[in-house]
Every structure is written in C-alpha cells, then in structure tokens.
Amino acid sequence: MTRNVALLFAIACGLAVANIYYAQPLLDAISNEFGITHSSVGIVITITQVCYALGLLLLVPLGDLLNRRWLIAGQMLVSVLALIAVGSAPTSMVLFMGIASVGLLAVVTQTLVAFAATLAAPAERGRTVGVVTSGIVMGILLARTFAGILMDLAGWRSVYLVSAVLTLIVACVLFRVLPHSEHKRESLSYLQLLRSLFTLYAQERILRIRAVLCLMIFTAFSILWTPLVLPLSAPPLSLSHTAIGAFGLAGVAGALAAARAGRLADRGLGQRTTGVALILLLISWVPISYTQHSLLALIVGIVLLDLAVQAVHVTNMSMILTLRPEARSRLTAGYMIFYSIGSATGSIASTHIYAYSGWNGVCLLGAIVSASALLFWALTRRLK
C-alpha cells in the first residue's frame, strides 16, 4: 500500500461520504423549496443515514465475497445516477428516493477502508487506516464548505450535479489503479455471509464495545452539525451559505489527528487515546453553547469536537480490523451500522430539540450524549 495509493483511497472516500452530508448546510433551502417545516427537515438527513445503514448491512459484506475492484467501481457509477436524480428532483418524493439511493451507495467508502486495511502491512495498518479515514472526515467537513459555496453561486441542485461529475471521474481512476487480483475470498452464499455478520457480534467483544462508542460519538457529531445551519442563518447572525459552509474548515483539524490516532493504536495506546478524546468531546460543548454570542467560541468548539470524534473513530477502526483478516468487510459493516444509527438519531433529535428548546437545548443534548460515551468507556475499558 504505497502512500500515493493511500491518498487516492482517501480522496475517493472523502468524495463518496461527502454525498451524504451535502444536505446539512442546504436544509433551509430544501425546506423552503419543498415546503418542509424546520422541525421535520431533519428527515432528509435521517433518510440518508438509515439507507446508509442498510447499505452497510447489505452491500459492504460483499467485499469479503466479490472482487472489490468491480464492486467499488460499480457502486460509484450507480451513485452518479442517484446524484443526478437528486439534483433534478421535481418533487419531494423524488428527492427522498434519490437521497435514499445516495445514502445506500455511499457505503463504498467502507469497502475502500476494508480494502486499504487488507493491502497495508500489519505494522502500518493503523497509519494507513488513519490516512484513508482522514479523507473521510475531510469529506464530511468540506462537504459543507463545498455545498455552501455552490449554493450561493448556482443553487442547491448544482451541488449534487457537480458531485455526479466528480464521482464519475474518480470511479474511472480507481478502476485503473485497484489491483485485479486479491486474497482468497470466502466461499459462502450471500445469505450465509449476512448471517456471519451477526456471528461476529456474538463472538467479538471488542467489536460490540467499539460499535457502541461509535454510536455515541456520531450521535454527538450529528447533534452539532445537522441543526447548525439554523441558528447561523437566522437573525441576528444571518450568515450566507458560503460563510456557514466555511465552518467545516475549522473541523479539518480532526482529519489531521486521524493518522496520529492510528499510529497510537499501532503502539497499543488505543484505550488511552480514546479516554482523552472523549474528555475533549465533553468539554467541546462549553464553547459551542456560546455560538449565538461568539463565532470564535463556536470555532474552538468545532475543532475540539471533530478532533475528538475522529480520534476515537480511527482508534476504533484500527482495533477492530485486527480481529479477523478474512472478515474485514463484515467487521467494518458491523461497526459502521452503529455509526449510521447514531448519525440518524442525532439528526432527527437535534432538529426537534432546536424547534422547541433552541440552541441551548441542542448543546445540553450533545453534552449528555458525550458524558454517556465517556462513562461507557470508563466502565468497559478493561474488558478484553
């Protein structure tokens, strides 16, 4: 796994995962165009995340069964069609169907992560996973900046149409670069493959513990990012979509922490990294709560929260991908299903809380979830 190939994987992952986050800074525009209330517009994100979870269950395990080169390129090409459908949707029903397809197919990101772990040398697996995962978090965060700029220039639909073109280009490059032959694949039927995913939950305690941590940290992540556009776009701040999207740049610090967290996991320091990161996650809600009074405080909070979430996530991935080399796609799928559950829960809960309790209610919810994650880690950190 050369560094250039790892960077290509990171770019592909970032582009793929960005497709499910473009809607977050566009929620108010989508709400206005299709007549969806602010208290319900979070359903756009929820649909995406629920379908992403279905994709993790139904598509990602195929990486242990089929040729990943064809699987990755095929999913990205179908994603192009889904993105075009969203960008040209005439009704909310077509929008929901298109966004559901985008979420389902965005799981190609996790197939790429599992493939990277397979290609990497054992001593560098954490570092490689960190590099590739840094592409994911940068895609998540820069999606807001990209979407905000295009929204102001050409409307929200242009975001998905431009992404369709970029996805097509990356799919073609990957098809040329990915190896033609792979390791020996599982001789299972598709149904046996899916059943074995649940067997992994029963047999691997680390997978269960890290999956629950994943659910909690991405619930907190979504509690911040899904409703953030609402107070920033409303008076007295009334920021443009470009300015709102630019806050994603503050979170890129989390991406820079990714590779370092992977190296620490390679050295056996995963538990210590997790504990420190979860403390930072809880602390981050203090400056975030001052958003409507100080944008600088918001920036500090974003940096802390995204750094913490990414550090825990990379550590989680590094730890679970060492468990069963022949089942890395299924391990990734089993873990990331909890990511989608957390993201969907955070999206719908935070928009409802904002509608009834404002930004302070959102911050209190985020702090409660973060404290729960820290407590859960403290109670389980000595379990093997």
Side-chain angles (χ1 to χ4, degrees):
M1 187 72 172
T2 66
R3 183 166 183 80
N4 286 339
V5 174
L7 290 175
L8 176 61
F9 272 51
I11 291 170
C13 284
L15 180 61
V17 78
N19 289 331
I20 62 176
Y21 286 95
Y22 289 139
Q24 288 189 350
L26 309 177
L27 286 179
D28 59 331
I30 293 173
S31 171
N32 293 334
E33 178 160 344
F34 292 103
I36 306 171
T37 64
H38 276 181
S39 63
S40 300
V41 73
I43 194 68
V44 174
I45 308 300
T46 302
I47 288 173
T48 311
Q49 294 294 349
V50 168
C51 290
Y52 189 84
L54 288 175
L56 290 168
L57 177 63
L58 301 176
L59 298 181
V60 174
L62 289 172
D64 292 331
L65 191 64
L66 304 177
N67 184 291
R68 288 195 181 106
R69 178 170 178 259
W70 286 95
L71 183 63
I72 289 167
Q75 287 185 29
M76 294 188 76
L77 290 176
V78 181
S79 292
V80 172
L81 301 178
L83 289 164
I84 292 173
V86 174
S88 57
T91 66
S92 59
M93 183 57 66
V94 176
L95 172 73
F96 291 152
M97 292 174 63
I99 210 76
S101 300
V102 168
L104 185 73
L105 295 162
V107 296
V108 68
T109 300
Q110 305 309 322
T111 305
L112 283 162
V113 171
F115 202 3
T118 298
L119 295 174
E124 297 186 348
R125 186 165 292 122
R127 182 192 65 81
T128 300
V129 170
V131 170
V132 176
T133 308
S134 69
I136 295 175
V137 75
M138 289 185 72
I140 292 172
L141 296 169
L142 294 180
R144 297 169 177 81
T145 306
F146 177 80
I149 293 173
L150 278 183
M151 167 66 195
D152 286 339
L153 291 177
W156 70 268
R157 295 178 183 274
S158 66
V159 176
Y160 292 95
L161 297 177
V162 171
S163 181
V165 174
L166 296 176
T167 301
L168 179 61
I169 294 171
V170 172
C172 294
V173 174
L174 277 173
F175 190 72
R176 290 180 60 88
V177 171
L178 294 177
H180 291 256
S181 59
E182 301 182 41
H183 64 287
K184 183 180 179 181
R185 290 181 287 274
E186 293 277 20
S187 56
L188 301 173
S189 69
Y190 180 59
L191 290 179
Q192 289 174 327
L193 191 75
L194 295 183
R195 282 198 297 267
S196 68
L197 178 60
F198 297 96
T199 302
L200 289 172
Y201 282 129
Q203 296 177 346
E204 300 294 346
R205 186 194 299 269
I206 291 177
L207 175 61
R208 296 195 300 271
I209 291 173
R210 291 288 152 172
V212 173
L213 281 174
C214 174
L215 184 150
M216 291 180 174
I217 63 171
F218 280 105
T219 297
F221 183 88
S222 196
I223 286 170
L224 168 66
W225 284 108
T226 299
L228 183 60
V229 64
L230 302 177
L232 293 182
S233 62
L237 296 175
S238 301
L239 299 182
S240 68
H241 285 87
T242 299
I244 294 170
F247 281 95
L249 296 174
V252 172
L256 301 179
R260 179 61 179 170
R263 294 190 189 100
L264 292 173
D266 286 337
R267 292 166 51 191
L269 299 175
Q271 290 289 10
R272 185 178 301 177
T273 302
T274 302
V276 172
L278 289 174
I279 292 171
L280 291 178
L281 180 62
L282 179 58
I283 292 172
S284 71
W285 290 103
V286 175
I288 290 171
S289 68
Y290 288 91
T291 293
Q292 293 167 309
H293 305 286
S294 171
L295 293 180
L296 178 60
L298 173 62
I299 291 171
V300 171
I302 287 173
V303 171
L304 288 176
L305 183 141
D306 286 345
L307 187 149
V309 168
Q310 182 62 6
V312 176
H313 177 51
V314 172
T315 302
N316 289 348
M317 292 292 292
S318 298
M319 292 175 71
I320 67 170
L321 288 175
T322 62
L323 298 175
R324 302 278 189 95
E326 77 285 358
R328 287 198 174 108
S329 289
R330 280 166 288 167
L331 288 168
T332 302
Y335 169 79
M336 290 301 296
I337 285 171
F338 284 78
Y339 151 84
S340 282
I341 295 171
S343 294
T345 301
S347 294
I348 198 68
S350 60
T351 50
H352 274 82
I353 289 292
Y354 182 81
Y356 295 106
S357 303
W359 189 245
N360 287 336
V362 170
C363 293
L364 178 60
L365 177 63
I368 291 171
V369 172
S370 301
S372 299
L374 180 60
L375 177 61
F376 177 80
W377 169 79
L379 294 174
T380 60
R381 65 192 181 95
R382 296 190 183 281
L383 297 177
K384 300 296 183 180

